[in-house]
Amino acid sequence: MDHSTENRTEEVVVEMRGSTCIITLNRIKKKNAITVSMFTRIGEAVRDADKDQKVKVILLTGTGNMFSSGNDLKNFENALKSGKSMSTAAQESRTLLLNFVKSFLDCTKILMAA
C-alpha cells in the first residue's frame, strides 16, 4: 500500500501515476473508516477518472496496513443527531450509498481495490 499520504489531511487523496488514478483512503487513526463526505468524494473521483481518457486503471487503496474497516459507525449517530426524521435520514443514506455503488458499477475502466 502507498504510505506517502500518511501526513496529508485530506480523508481521500486522489493522484495520478502514469495512466493509473490512485484513490487513497486517508484516515489511518480510524482504520480508514468511510465517512459520509468520503462516500461522496470516492464516487466523484471514480466518475472523474472514468471520464479521463488518460486513465487506464483506477486503484482504490488505504493508508497504513489496511484497506478500510468499512462504514464509519459515527455516520449513524450523526444522522440521528441531525434532527431529521428517521425516514429522511434513511432516504438520504440510501441515496448516498446508491450513488457510491453506482460509480463502481458504471465504471468502464479497470477498477481494483488493494
Side-chain angles (χ1 to χ4, degrees), residues 1-5 15-22 24 57 59:
M1 287 189 199
D2 182 326
H3 297 282
S4 65
T5 59
E15 57 188 317
M16 286 294 297
R17 288 202 197 145
S19 61
T20 302
C21 176
I22 302 170
T24 305
V57 176
L59 174 63

Side-chain angles (χ1 to χ4, degrees), residues 10-68:
E10 303 99 331
E11 293 180 332
V12 177
V13 178
V14 180
E15 57 188 317
M16 286 294 297
R17 288 202 197 145
S19 61
T20 302
C21 176
I22 302 170
I23 303 168
T24 305
L25 308 180
N26 192 37
R27 291 185 74 213
I28 196 167
K29 291 180 182 174
K30 295 290 186 175
K31 300 186 187 305
N32 297 320
I34 303 172
T35 64
V36 169
S37 62
M38 289 172 72
F39 277 115
T40 299
R41 181 66 188 111
I42 294 164
E44 290 170 348
V46 169
R47 283 187 291 278
D48 289 346
D50 193 41
K51 292 177 196 169
D52 188 337
Q53 293 189 359
K54 292 176 280 190
V55 174
K56 303 296 181 211
V57 176
I58 302 168
L59 174 63
L60 183 60
T61 191
T63 301
N65 63 358
M66 70 176 323
F67 173 65
S68 174

